[in-house]
Amino acid sequence: MATLASPSSPRAVAAAPETSLGVSRRKACVFAYSAGWISGLVVLWLEGRDAETRRHAAQAVLGFGLLTLLGAACLALAVLGILTSLTLFRVGLWAAQGVVLVGVVLWVWSLVRVAFGGSPRWPLIGGRAERLAAVP
């Protein structure tokens, strides 16, 4: 009769740091990016302890918020173009599509990096997000 080998000694598993939201840091950061600036604002408002989670939330608010404003400005240019010039309309529409493409690429990149344990830092706004995320 074969004997069962005793299982190896249990390894010490490092517990994931928990945020004041009651979930792990990774889940909170994924949620911060999940719906753009809206979810980032919710996480930034509710998270009071974890500076890393607050930084990702602030980055989502600043980054996606600025992209939303830029996209709205491009669409306003397209509307102005309807009234004045077909060329201006096309430029505004193409620019808005470019802004959306940049936003989608940054959104996917940030979600994938955070989901696998990375810490993306967006160009141009990363430093400002760190200052905004300082724990009060």
Side-chain angles (χ1 to χ4, degrees), residues 13-84:
V13 178
E18 191 169 295
T19 63
S20 59
L21 297 172
V23 297
S24 70
R25 175 184 289 168
R26 186 179 294 182
K27 287 180 183 177
C29 291
V30 166
F31 179 71
Y33 288 113
S34 64
W37 63 267
I38 296 169
S39 60
L41 193 61
V42 169
V43 171
L44 190 61
W45 180 50
L46 294 176
E47 178 58 46
R49 242 185 358 219
D50 190 37
E52 183 70 14
T53 302
R54 289 182 54 83
R55 184 183 70 80
H56 287 291
Q59 187 164 265
V61 169
L62 288 176
F64 293 123
L66 288 173
L67 286 171
T68 300
L69 292 175
L70 184 60
C74 291
L75 287 177
L77 183 67
V79 168
L80 181 65
I82 288 176
L83 303 173
T84 59

Side-chain angles (χ1 to χ4, degrees), residues 83-132:
L83 303 173
T84 59
S85 161
L86 185 59
T87 303
L88 187 61
F89 170 73
R90 288 181 179 160
V91 167
L93 205 55
W94 278 98
Q97 290 174 349
V99 169
V100 168
L101 179 64
V102 167
V104 167
V105 167
L106 282 172
W107 178 67
V108 169
W109 176 67
S110 298
L111 275 175
V112 168
R113 287 283 311 266
V114 167
F116 289 109
S119 184
R121 182 184 165 115
W122 289 19
L124 305 176
I125 64 165
R128 189 172 299 267
E130 286 177 3
R131 289 189 298 276
L132 178 64

